[in-house]
């Protein structure tokens, strides 16, 4: 594919100057850009690389002197990352999946496939499943019985959408993601050691070893519009009611969402986040990498939790959290400063004890 500078500027809604008929076929960092690349230098600190590369056109910061840089054309990006979003969307061809159903795909005769949908090699579409218009399903993906997927969805290689799952429009699932596996829920005939510890905060009591009995998951998963799911991430079905993910939420690789969890709209769950069963997450919540959320608690709207934070109790709306256990970020920073001062404090206390001991000996 090739694009003129005018086409790119129009798609980004950004101003452009110079020869707007210059064509590019891709994007590159300034120092490695060739004549057919659009150099990405949205910050002045990257301008030096333009002299090392051979780009004729560049995406620059607002007000940049593009002519002094030896360019034929330039597009100006007042917000760099937003421009990157539009540019990468425009230039990304996505997986090659021919429209229609590949001969090796297995599609149940009762399934409903929307207009313009593309079903790739060895994909499996179960009984009564419904696939929306223009959906793309890559090789070895599975959509099980009674599952529903909206329009313009993209299921990458090896994605598993289990029975009765309901997903809105423009859903994206990266390779290996699974939606609708059974929840991790077990019970013992009598009170278990874990239950005793929960009640006593440490004492296992007289609990003895018992075999675990599986609690089956009768619910499913309901996902809104414009949700993205990262590679090898999982969303478990609910025990009785559905696990829910709100519209606009983005979930990174290797994230685990437990059974009965409710996640609001426009949340970000970064890599290796774990949300335990029946937790409720509000709207616009950001959980950074390796954050853990305890079961049966509530995280309010607009909460931001820094990397590796462990949230054990309800988090009020708007709170910025950090640490193990989670606390206000500013409190955690002060606590960490105090922790780093401990060796010096211990040395001072030891010196003080020694001095006091000497005084006592004199007396």
């Amino acid at each position: 594919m090739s694009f003129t500078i005018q086409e790119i500027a129009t798609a980004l809604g950004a101003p452009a100057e110079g020869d707007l008929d210059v064509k590019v076929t891709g994007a590159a960092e300034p120092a490695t850009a060739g004549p057919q690349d659009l150099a990405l230098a949205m910050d002045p600190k990257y301008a030096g690389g333009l002299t090392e590369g051979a780009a004729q056109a560049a995406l620059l910061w607002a007000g940049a002197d593009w002519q002094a840089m030896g360019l034929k054309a330039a597009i100006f990006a007042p917000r760099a990352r937003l421009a990157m979003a539009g540019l990468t969307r425009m230039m990304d061809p996505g997986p090659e999946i021919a429209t229609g159903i590949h001969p090796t795909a297995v599609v149940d005769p009762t399934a409903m496939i929307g207009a313009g949908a593309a079903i790739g090699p060895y994909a499996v579409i179960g009984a009564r499943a419904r696939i929306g218009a223009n959906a793309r399903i890559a090789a070895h993906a599975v959509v099980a019985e009674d599952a529903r997927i909206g329009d313009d969805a993209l299921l990458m290689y090896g994605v598993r959408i289990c029975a009765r799952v309901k997903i809105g429009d423009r859903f994206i699932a990266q390779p290996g993601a699974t939606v609708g596996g059974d929840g991790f829920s077990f019970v013992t005939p009598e009170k278990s050691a874990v239950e005793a510890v929960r009640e006593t905060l440490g004492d296992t009591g007289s609990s003895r070893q018992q075999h675990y009995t599986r609690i089956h998951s009768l619910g499913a998963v309901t996902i809104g519009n414009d949700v993205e799911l990262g590679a090898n991430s999982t969303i478990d079905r609910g025990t009785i009611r559905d696990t829910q993910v709100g519209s606009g939420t983005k979930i990174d690789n290797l994230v685990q969402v437990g059974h009965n969890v409710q996640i609001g709209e426009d949340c970000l769950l970064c890599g290796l986040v774990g949300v335990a069963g029946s937790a409720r997450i509000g709207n616009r919540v950001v959980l950074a990498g390796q954050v853990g959320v305890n079961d049966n608690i509530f995280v309010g709207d607009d909460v931001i939790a820094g990397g590796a934070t462990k949230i054990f109790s309800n988090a009020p709306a708007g709170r910025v959290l950090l640490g193990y256990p989670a606390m206000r970020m500013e409190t955690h920073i002060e606590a960490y400063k105090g922790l780093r001062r401990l060796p010096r404090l211990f040395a001072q206390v030891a010196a003080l004890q020694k001095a006091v001991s000497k005084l006592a000996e004199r007396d």
Side-chain angles (χ1 to χ4, degrees):
M1 295 184 294
S2 65
F3 309 90
T4 66
I5 298 303
Q6 180 63 72
E7 289 172 336
I8 296 173
T10 300
L12 300 184
E17 296 179 8
D19 183 357
L20 303 187
D21 292 325
V22 169
K23 290 187 175 182
V24 296
T25 59
E29 295 179 357
T32 59
Q36 301 300 314
D37 292 322
L38 180 70
L40 305 180
M42 288 91 79
D43 188 289
K45 65 183 179 183
Y46 301 122
L50 291 169
T51 59
E52 301 176 39
Q56 301 182 76
L59 185 60
L60 301 174
W61 66 95
D65 187 353
W66 59 276
Q67 291 172 310
M69 299 174 187
L71 299 170
K72 292 184 178 180
I75 303 170
F76 302 98
R79 182 160 166 75
R81 287 184 62 81
L82 188 61
M84 281 286 288
L87 179 66
T88 53
R89 179 173 61 247
M90 185 178 188
M91 291 187 168
D92 182 8
E96 291 187 15
I97 312 172
T99 301
I101 301 173
H102 192 275
T104 62
V106 178
V107 179
D108 190 276
T110 62
M112 297 177 62
I113 309 298
I119 312 297
Y122 301 102
V124 177
I125 311 298
R128 301 171 301 280
R130 296 174 61 179
I131 308 297
N134 303 312
R136 292 178 292 164
I137 299 179
H140 295 280
V142 175
V143 180
E145 63 272 17
D146 297 305
R148 298 183 180 185
I149 298 176
D151 297 343
D152 302 302
L154 172 60
L155 307 187
M156 294 294 283
Y157 319 102
V159 167
R160 306 290 191 259
I161 306 299
C162 298
R164 305 187 306 280
V165 167
K166 298 180 288 293
I167 299 176
D169 298 335
R170 296 173 298 279
F171 175 70
I172 296 176
Q174 297 297 334
T178 298
V179 180
D182 269 13
F184 190 75
S185 191
F186 299 87
V187 65
T188 53
E190 299 175 12
K191 184 182 293 185
S192 68
V194 172
E195 291 174 281
V197 167
R198 278 181 177 271
E199 293 176 359
T200 63
L201 299 181
D203 183 6
T204 61
S206 59
S207 300
R208 58 185 175 81
Q209 179 61 41
Q210 303 176 72
H211 295 296
Y212 291 102
T213 300
R214 188 170 186 266
I215 298 175
H216 291 250
S217 298
L218 304 182
V221 179
T222 299
I223 296 178
N225 299 324
D226 301 297
V227 171
E228 299 195 18
L229 188 57
N232 293 320
S233 52
T234 56
I235 303 176
D236 291 347
R237 65 174 65 249
T239 306
I240 301 298
R241 57 177 168 82
D242 287 2
T243 301
Q244 297 182 14
V245 178
S247 294
T249 287
K250 316 299 181 187
I251 296 176
D252 196 5
N253 301 343
L254 296 168
V255 169
Q256 158 66 10
V257 177
H259 60 279
N260 303 334
V261 167
Q262 297 177 49
I263 298 176
E265 298 183 351
D266 295 311
C267 296
L268 288 178
L269 276 64
C270 302
L272 296 170
V273 160
V275 183
S278 299
R280 292 179 295 134
I281 309 293
N283 299 318
R284 300 172 302 279
V285 171
V286 178
L287 304 180
Q290 296 187 336
V291 165
V293 179
N294 206 10
D295 61 290
N296 293 285
I297 66 168
F298 176 69
V299 178
D301 294 347
D302 302 298
V303 165
I304 298 175
T309 294
K310 309 306 175 192
I311 306 175
F312 295 133
S313 58
N314 293 337
R319 189 68 56 85
V320 180
L321 302 173
L322 189 62
Y324 177 94
M327 61 186 76
R328 288 178 181 269
M329 180 174 282
E330 58 269 28
T331 303
H332 174 81
I333 291 172
E334 287 304 312
Y336 182 68
K337 288 179 180 177
L339 187 65
R340 294 190 64 183
R341 294 188 187 107
L342 283 179
R344 183 175 59 190
L345 178 61
F346 290 154
Q348 290 172 340
V349 170
L352 181 59
Q353 288 176 325
K354 188 175 182 179
V356 170
S357 177
K358 286 183 178 179
L359 288 175
E361 289 175 0
R362 292 175 184 174
D363 293 340

